[in-house]
Amino acid sequence: MNKFKRAVDFLRKAEKIAVLTGAGVSAESGVPTFRGRGGLWKKYRAEELATPEAFERDPILVWKFYDYRRQLISKVNPNKSHEILAKWETLFEKITIVTQNIDGLHQRAGSKNVIELHGNIWEARCIKENKVFRYKENPISEFPPKCPDCGSLIRPNVVWFGESLNQNILNFSFSLFEKSDLALVIGTSSVVYPAAHLPILTKKSGGKIMEINIEETSLTILSDIFLKGKASEILKVIDSLI
Ligand code: APR
């Protein structure tokens, strides 16, 4: 049976599907990845822009970086990968997306069951009151932006290097992958933890891993199916066979 037919068989037989997505899913919308060619961390130093220390040192520089990414993301649209995953919510009874992406493109494509592990670029958090709110100003007019309620500094509501993830979100994601019998891992280098550990939990509880990526990753060796190629092209073929 060819790989695609096996992939469809896995999806059809799965009781519960947990999807882990990374920057590779949004790459085809024009959102730069982090570690591949042209990736953000190839052009910018992550430790200068995506850490609490960087924000402490220079909140204006950090906000200028996120304003640049917000402006870029506001100009792109969900691609076929986002659309197919949204459509599969109606085809499969239990499918949940856990995404490392902060661009909100899964939700814009219509996905409802989306867990954002690393936050959302369109949210901000007051550093005094710790209140999270939608912050859609684009482009940002004042640097650094302040809390509309108390006037304190606000920060992007995203997870930076060296920060821990929201414990409730993490516990939910751990439990989801443990209880799923299929982990569908799409467009992630699987180098950032704890996200990269999620599919392992599915495997450990007797489930299967299906990986879609343009190149092999450290997860590939553990994958029951590795489909090499662009996410939208692979998902289109699978979707056509379901
Ligand atoms: N289709 C499928 N996979 C793709 C495509 C594509 N069109 N384009 C790129 N990829 C793959 C790359 O081969 C790579 O494995 O997507 C992956 C992107 O890897 P990264 O750039 O490391 O992004 P990601 O895995 O999401 O990073 C995880 O690291 O910097 C932090 O918080 C940031 O959420 C991010 C986390």
Side-chain angles (χ1 to χ4, degrees):
M1 191 193 297
N2 87 352
K3 268 192 178 182
F4 285 103
K5 285 212 172 15
R6 276 184 67 220
V8 171
D9 192 43
F10 276 20
L11 283 162
R12 281 209 185 111
K13 285 186 180 140
E15 299 275 310
K16 199 174 165 77
I17 303 167
V19 187
L20 175 66
T21 62
V25 165
S26 296
E28 291 169 72
S29 292
V31 182
T33 61
F34 295 97
R35 297 170 181 86
R37 227 185 349 271
L40 278 174
W41 304 145
K42 302 270 187 201
K43 287 159 59 181
Y44 301 99
R45 291 169 52 77
E47 51 278 14
E48 283 173 6
L49 298 164
T51 63
E53 295 74 20
F55 187 71
E56 178 84 26
R57 188 170 53 244
D58 190 345
I60 292 178
L61 175 69
V62 172
W63 266 115
K64 291 267 186 198
F65 174 59
Y66 280 90
D67 185 46
Y68 150 72
R69 292 178 68 189
R70 286 156 59 103
Q71 290 189 46
L72 186 147
I73 288 166
S74 67
K75 295 184 184 94
V76 304
N77 293 306
N79 62 62
K80 207 68 192 136
S81 298
H82 299 107
E83 289 163 13
I84 289 172
L85 289 171
K87 174 187 159 190
W88 284 3
E89 272 187 5
T90 58
L91 288 186
F92 301 106
E93 203 188 319
K94 293 188 182 145
I95 182 166
T96 306
I97 297 173
V98 174
T99 187
Q100 300 171 87
N101 301 337
I102 61 174
D103 54 35
L105 290 178
H106 283 300
Q107 297 92 319
R108 278 183 53 196
S111 286
K112 302 272 180 296
N113 307 333
V114 181
I115 306 294
E116 294 175 313
L117 272 185
H118 296 164
N120 185 302
I121 202 163
W122 298 112
E123 290 178 349
R125 191 163 83 226
C126 173
I127 60 167
K128 183 161 166 257
E129 302 161 331
N130 223 13
K131 193 168 48 64
V132 174
F133 53 96
R134 291 295 281 173
Y135 176 55
K136 301 277 285 182
E137 188 185 28
N138 180 36
I140 293 172
S141 56
E142 176 213 8
F143 289 94
K146 303 285 178 20
C147 173
D149 293 346
C150 73
S152 308
L153 208 48
I154 58 176
R155 57 162 281 178
N157 190 38
V158 298
V159 179
W160 282 328
F161 291 102
E163 290 190 314
S164 45
L165 280 65
N166 172 296
Q167 201 53 50
N168 292 336
I169 289 177
L170 201 50
N171 293 342
F172 178 88
S173 304
F174 279 154
S175 161
L176 174 77
F177 276 81
E178 268 162 9
K179 296 193 178 94
S180 294
D181 48 350
L182 179 61
L184 175 52
V185 183
I186 313 174
T188 179
S189 55
S190 292
V191 296
V192 172
Y193 286 78
H197 185 63
L198 293 171
I200 312 295
L201 297 172
T202 303
K203 191 91 182 174
K204 277 190 172 158
S205 57
K208 296 193 184 318
I209 298 175
M210 188 187 324
E211 185 184 21
I212 298 172
N213 202 307
I214 53 172
E215 60 189 10
E216 294 199 359
T217 70
S218 48
L219 180 73
T220 307
I221 189 132
L222 287 173
S223 297
D224 297 275
I225 301 186
F226 173 63
L227 294 158
K228 183 169 184 169
K230 287 189 171 184
S232 63
E233 288 164 13
I234 300 284
L235 288 171
K236 262 189 277 193
V237 174
I238 296 174
D239 189 50
S240 69
L241 295 170
I242 285 179

